[in-house]
Amino acid sequence: MDEITGAWDWLTTGANWAGTSGVWHRLGEHLYLTLVCLAISCAIALPVALYLGHIGKGGALAVNISNAGRAVPTFAVLVVLMLTPLGKHGDVPTIIALVLFAVPPLLTNAYVGMREADQDVVEAARGMGMSGWQLLGRVELPLAFPLIMTGLRTAAVQVVATTTLAALPGGGGLGRIITAGFNTYNTGQVVAGAVLVAGLALLVEGMVVVAERLLSPLPAAVRAARRRAERERRAEDRV
């Protein structure tokens, strides 16, 4: 109970929110690392997953290789990178470690979404004369969109939570509030930092859910292909 009271006192003290060591500054650093890592991860994982899912070859191998990276602790990767020349380049080791952590859920969900797209709709779209790239962009991608966003949501929450490790080698982010609390034996500050990280993770997850609902595509090509597939199924049933 004392820890909760101490955390409340720390969070409601205005001085803890201002300055270069304050919450707002650390929150900005945390968001910067999160957004950069997610952007790089999406740029790496999504094109590979969408292409392999479209052609139906090599995807299982790519997914297995990416998932193997989950067995390596992110902190261990961060420590190793800090001991290399990359350790002299600010947030680069942290970004690389977090990207390696974020790629697997993005790659796996996007590939599975592409492979689990309604094949009747895909075949109907082919029958309408769509090229391979039209099929990918106008049919398969919209059908895979929910699973792609699920992967993005998972990766975003994981990165927000794991970015706290950046503080251990002296990086920025909300983790600095937690480590500072440990260094000064201020349990209330440690709890306050954990609450801030958890709150940010929930906020980011909610934003991704809202974005999914607002951006969910259902273009005319998909609707037309679905109608054609339904007509073909009815014709087969009559036969």
Side-chain angles (χ1 to χ4, degrees):
M1 196 66 181
D2 291 339
E3 290 80 5
I4 297 176
T5 303
W8 175 257
D9 291 340
W10 193 92
L11 289 170
T12 54
T13 300
N16 294 328
W17 291 76
T20 55
S21 298
V23 172
W24 292 119
H25 183 75
R26 297 305 183 194
L27 178 61
E29 294 175 335
H30 206 101
L31 287 174
Y32 165 77
L33 289 172
T34 298
L35 293 175
V36 169
C37 292
L38 284 177
I40 296 174
S41 300
C42 288
I44 294 172
L46 295 185
V48 173
L50 296 179
Y51 177 71
L52 294 179
H54 174 66
I55 64 174
K57 298 178 181 178
L61 177 61
V63 169
N64 289 332
I65 291 174
S66 68
N67 285 336
R70 294 184 178 184
V72 182
T74 304
F75 182 61
V77 175
L78 181 58
V79 170
V80 170
L81 291 174
M82 290 299 298
L83 297 176
T84 68
L86 291 174
K88 301 177 181 179
H89 297 280
D91 294 324
V92 172
T94 301
I95 292 173
I96 293 175
L98 292 175
V99 166
L100 294 175
F101 186 61
V103 162
L106 288 166
L107 180 63
T108 301
N109 280 272
Y111 175 75
V112 171
M114 291 289 291
R115 297 309 302 158
E116 291 188 353
D118 191 329
Q119 292 305 304
D120 289 335
V121 175
V122 173
E123 291 303 322
R126 283 199 180 97
M128 294 167 61
M130 287 190 181
S131 66
W133 287 110
Q134 287 176 325
L135 186 66
L136 172 62
R138 298 172 61 183
V139 177
E140 291 176 323
L141 181 57
L143 290 174
F145 185 76
L147 267 179
I148 293 173
M149 293 303 292
T150 298
L152 178 60
R153 185 168 71 249
T154 302
V157 172
Q158 290 179 347
V159 169
V160 168
T162 312
T163 299
T164 55
L165 295 177
L168 296 178
L174 293 173
R176 290 292 292 271
I177 295 174
I178 298 175
T179 56
F182 277 120
N183 292 335
T184 58
Y185 302 99
N186 187 342
T187 306
Q189 181 174 346
V190 174
V191 175
V195 169
L196 289 170
V197 173
L200 180 59
L202 291 174
L203 178 61
V204 168
E205 182 175 16
M207 291 174 64
V208 175
V209 170
V210 172
E212 178 182 356
R213 293 179 179 177
L214 293 176
L215 300 176
S216 181
L218 189 61
V222 174
R223 291 193 293 268
R226 280 180 173 172
R227 288 194 295 267
R228 177 170 179 149
E230 184 62 27
R231 288 196 299 268
E232 291 176 353
R233 280 194 293 266
R234 290 175 181 174
E236 291 175 357
D237 291 341
R238 286 196 295 270
V239 173

